[in-house]
Amino acid sequence: MGEGKEEVKRNMASLEPQETLKLRRERLERAFTGGTPDRVPYTFLPAMDLQAKYAGITVAEYCFNWDSWVKTAVKWGRDFNVEGVDLLPFFPPGLEGMIFAVAWADYPEWIATRFITGQFHDALRDKWTRWPGRELPPDFHPQFIGGTFMEPGEYRKLIEDPLEFITSTLLPRAVEALRKPYSPEAAAALMKLGAETKNFNATMTRIGVESFQMGFPTFYMGYGYAPLDLIGDFMRMPTGVMLDLRRHPEEVLQATEVLTPLIKKAIKNSTIPQELSEKLFGTRVVLVFWPLHLDEMLPPKLFEEFYWPSLKETIIYAIELGYTPWVFFEGDFTPFLHYILELPKGRVFAYFEKADLRKAREILGDHVNIGGGIPVSILMHGSREKVFEESCNLLNDIKEPGGFVFYGSGVSPGAATRIENLWAQVEAVKKCGYY
Amino acid sequence: MEIKNYSHALNKYLKILSRMDSRTRLIPLSMENNLLKAIVELDEERALEIARKELENSKSPFKMLEVLRKAADIIGEKYSKGEFFVADLVMAGEILKEISEMIRPLLQSEPRHEYVGRLIIGTVQGDIHDIGKNIVVSMAEAAGFEVIDLGVDVPPEKFVEAIKTYKPDIVGLSGLLTLSIESMKRTVDVIKNTGLRDQVKIIIGGGRVDESACKYVGADAWTTDAGRGIKIMLEWVKEKKR
């Protein structure tokens, strides 16, 4: 515990950034795909309010200003560019927007809208999300609220022609600027969105270049989704779906079936070929991101019938294309862990929010590669010593037999986090993370 | 503890019943047991039908209120034991709400009935999520609490004002986001500073709370489980009445 930030930094100074990059990339490639690296790779994903606070700006300023994205990413990157941290501790500030990636999957240049950013929200005025400096005070965390934009009686229409229903009925209801699809207002909004999409891509490229120069690797990430979550998040609210599963089971099941091919198309069109990834980022590992929302809230019987089959189909599809699914098992997935054994061995990276990682290791062994960390309340508010101890214990308990990325916690630490606790984790990784 | 024993016995009874085919049942089930069974099995259609018939016949809401209380208790217990999941609680909450709404007009004409305790609840400042809170509200109402729901994004001052106005036994702080822990702490601090902390028990709930968050916040209890939360609150009001 004696080692301070300065000393950690000095250890790194002996390596050239490109040597560091190579070392970090190999470490992560192995952990993502089931090998045993020299040590457990580590990074953390600060919540948007922590990112902004650390950069000394309001959450609103952060969310709506592209330059602030770059400055914030660079600030975290520079400060934590030390031996022990392997990926840029940064995640672009955005909320769920997968419905756009599905609706516009035939036009991959729009794929940036997979996450609704502040700027996209300004252009579209969607009703799913609430933003600081807009609907919320400037220092609030952006929030996804969802809404009921489809009635139970409309499942039929969704099933008959899902794409038509989404673009002609759902989007006009949920997106203020698109309420009249062919109006000048809608055209102007889409033009504005197009310009902001370009800005998004330029900003992410700038961050990618900065990250590369610091010696942090990049892994390209495409987008998947569970079909039932698409209905819960964007059409019926999760609670609405929970009732529909009992009141209109046949319609819900058919709806997940017709949405599955659309999600597969989004997966295909949001990813890049492995060859291109190798050329651009020096790695053939291309990730596909799934956030799971209804997963552990459903009783096993409903999970098995309505959630898992179509989700599994989309995950296996990504594997068949050669990609590595990076699945965020949200909530406490512990009672459902055994389902993961149905996925092809060694091909999936499972990130757990609150599932017991020791139990996950016990049940899953090396069947999947896993990610996660210690409870977020300890990471944020615990003492430095406690964080170090918990992190070391976790690393010792589950790092074998490889295939583990330590993400600090399964939940993004928020604005009240004691920054020294993140440093305690860096030290824990160096002490207990080596194989 | 009495409640626990009772619900265990009832659970056992229901299990036996569910194994029996209706044709082989020797003793006809009473309205209460039929309704209870339908609610606990989340059979919405049947539960509403029994409730509707019963109200047409007897016009007395009290027997049914008692059934709702028992149902909420069993449902909570099942969730705590891992037999029920959030989607089950949402369905159960909906059934309880629908039946409560059927009873409500009748209650207004009856002499004021007694609540087991008074709860004020809200999602704390900075957070506008309410699914978890709403589950607790419907289960607490079914368990016999008078619930004052302050809504979402509730500033600490509004909780203080509500404590002064309603003099509740319990304050429930809900939140989904990580930032809600900080906001819960601020709320408890303001309640302390205004000298009201001794007058109420405080329970926190939501996806990010745990033992260490509870200590940090300065609450009396924490839960990620609505059923367990109701149980804790029932024990508090029982203790208070002793």
Side-chain angles (χ1 to χ4, degrees), chain A residues 20-38:
Chain A
T20 313
L21 181 104
K22 198 163 164 273
L23 198 74
R24 284 168 168 163
R25 189 165 55 211
E26 281 173 12
R27 200 174 272 148
L28 279 150
E29 274 178 344
R30 288 196 183 171
F32 280 141
T33 57
T36 309
D38 59 331

Side-chain angles (χ1 to χ4, degrees), chain A residues 49 130 136 140-141 143-145 239 242-243 246-247 296-300 336 353-354 375 377-378 380-381 411-412 414 416, chain B residues 42 44 85-88 90-91 94 98 125-129 131 153 177-179 181-182 206-208 210 212-213 216 224:
Chain A
D49 54 355
R130 306 280 187 278
L136 302 171
F140 271 41
H141 197 285
Q143 296 177 43
F144 185 94
I145 295 304
T239 43
M242 290 172 191
L243 302 179
R246 291 197 161 87
R247 290 171 175 166
E296 50 92 51
M297 293 195 256
L298 302 177
F336 297 85
E353 180 181 0
K354 289 200 297 188
S377 59
I378 295 177
M380 288 177 66
H381 308 296
V411 178
S412 285
Chain B
L42 306 178
E44 184 186 22
F85 293 75
V86 174
D88 300 316
V90 169
M91 187 71 242
E94 181 80 3
E98 285 167 323
Q125 189 167 42
D127 198 335
I128 49 181
H129 294 90
I131 292 177
D153 183 22
L177 302 173
T178 311
L179 62 84
I181 305 293
E182 200 57 30
R208 304 279 184 265
D210 57 14
S212 110
Y216 177 76
T224 54

